[in-house]
Amino acid sequence: AALGCGYLYYVENCRGFTMNLQNYKYKYDLHVHTSPVSKCGDIDPIGCVDRYMELGFSGFALTNHFGATVLRDFKTKEDFMKFYMHDFFEAKKYGDEKGFDVIFGLEIRFPESTNEYLVYGISEEDAYNAYDYIFGNYEEFYKGFKNDKNVILQAHPYRHPCFLQNIDILDGIEVFNMHPHHNSCVSLAARTAQENPRLIISGGTDFHHEGHQGLCALCSEERIENSFALSSLLKSRNYIFDVCGNKILPYNFH
């Protein structure tokens, strides 16, 4: 291994080859919320892009809340979807102007529990289709919505009062959820991923509030231009995480 600027630049992984961590130079937060779509968020889409650009990020996945509790103020599917997509379109337009990648995602929840699920590899049309599952349950959603382009992962599976979903109907789990206001039991999620190497490992800040931006990044060798590219990357397992400068090599890194 070689050291430089306080970081471990080269590391030998479990398969015996040496990787250069400097190659993983594109930083993305995979779990970001904006206001007003996520009522619990404080920062509007443009402000969010600006904050992440200041930190040197290449982009983020916008994963605003999507579920029955968000629908209460809307009479029709069309009204809700117009409202829901607004933050993404505003962030995407501004990001394109600035050379910043804004990736479309969902954090979806069902009436059966407080569990939430992150969905990548989707389009606006897919989000319209996801709406039709909101008043059902997660198993119905996974079996009906899952395809070879998307990935469906459980967000913060051990955060109280959430519980780990049946892993047979999960593509992966969010191991590194770094929301400072919650105990997401990262160690338990990491152990679950280790014991079930089929599961994709994800991570993100779960950004809502000023001062919390950019606490966790997925780092890739190439830019991630859209939601489908992110899904493909997660399936490839060729990425590392950066938690405030601390490099983390996922257990199932390829």
Side-chain angles (χ1 to χ4, degrees):
L3 291 172
C5 300
Y7 295 108
L8 183 64
Y9 281 163
Y10 298 92
V11 62
E12 185 175 282
N13 84 347
C14 60
R15 295 190 177 184
F17 67 85
T18 300
M19 61 180 294
N20 184 350
L21 298 187
Q22 289 182 301
N23 291 342
Y24 294 80
K25 60 185 179 179
Y26 299 103
K27 296 173 63 175
Y28 293 85
D29 195 330
L30 300 194
H31 194 160
V32 171
H33 296 273
T34 53
S35 175
V37 171
S38 289
K39 294 181 180 180
C40 46
D42 293 339
I43 312 300
D44 64 31
I46 290 176
C48 200
V49 171
D50 283 338
R51 283 162 174 77
Y52 272 84
M53 288 187 65
E54 289 171 2
L55 294 175
F57 275 65
S58 304
F60 59 62
L62 192 54
T63 53
N64 278 319
H65 293 294
F66 193 95
T69 57
V70 189
L71 298 180
R72 284 181 274 193
D73 298 332
F74 302 91
K75 295 181 179 180
T76 68
K77 176 179 180 177
E78 288 68 28
D79 288 343
F80 169 73
M81 290 306 306
K82 181 179 180 180
F83 170 77
Y84 187 85
M85 295 303 303
H86 172 269
D87 279 17
F88 172 72
F89 289 146
E90 185 172 55
K92 182 73 167 63
K93 181 177 184 295
Y94 186 64
D96 287 347
E97 293 171 358
K98 298 291 184 178
F100 182 89
D101 301 317
V102 176
I103 301 162
F104 185 50
L106 303 177
E107 185 173 30
I108 191 167
R109 179 174 169 177
F110 304 92
E112 63 186 357
S113 72
T114 58
N115 282 355
E116 295 177 299
Y117 305 90
L118 296 165
V119 187
Y120 311 109
I122 55 173
S123 64
E124 180 184 2
E125 181 180 357
D126 292 321
Y128 271 80
N129 293 335
Y131 177 100
D132 296 331
Y133 292 93
I134 285 178
F135 295 101
N137 61 62
Y138 172 71
E139 184 172 357
E140 291 172 347
F141 170 73
Y142 186 85
K143 291 179 177 179
F145 191 80
K146 175 64 190 167
N147 60 45
D148 60 358
K149 294 182 179 180
N150 61 37
V151 291
I152 304 173
L153 306 96
Q154 186 172 359
H156 43 73
Y158 288 99
R159 177 191 295 176
H160 181 76
C162 301
F163 57 87
L164 180 66
Q165 180 58 259
N166 175 3
I167 63 170
D168 291 337
I169 49 175
L170 287 173
D171 298 330
I173 60 173
E174 184 185 44
V175 170
F176 303 105
N177 181 290
M178 294 301 168
H179 194 313
H181 291 171
H182 296 285
N183 179 3
S184 294
C185 300
V186 169
S187 56
L188 294 178
R191 185 171 66 186
T192 295
Q194 182 186 35
E195 293 172 346
N196 300 277
R198 177 191 66 81
L199 294 176
I200 293 168
I201 296 171
S202 75
T205 300
D206 201 351
F207 174 65
H208 290 76
H209 309 298
E210 182 63 71
H212 296 172
Q213 55 265 32
L215 296 180
C216 181
L218 175 145
C219 303
S220 62
E221 293 183 290
E222 299 179 352
R223 294 194 75 118
I224 307 170
E225 296 183 353
N226 56 50
S227 190
F228 297 102
L230 174 56
S231 176
S232 295
L233 177 67
L234 288 169
K235 292 175 184 177
S236 79
R237 293 171 164 80
N238 181 25
Y239 51 88
I240 64 174
F241 294 104
D242 182 321
V243 179
C244 300
N246 299 283
K247 309 297 183 182
I248 299 174
L249 184 67
Y251 177 79
N252 57 1
F253 176 84
H254 284 187

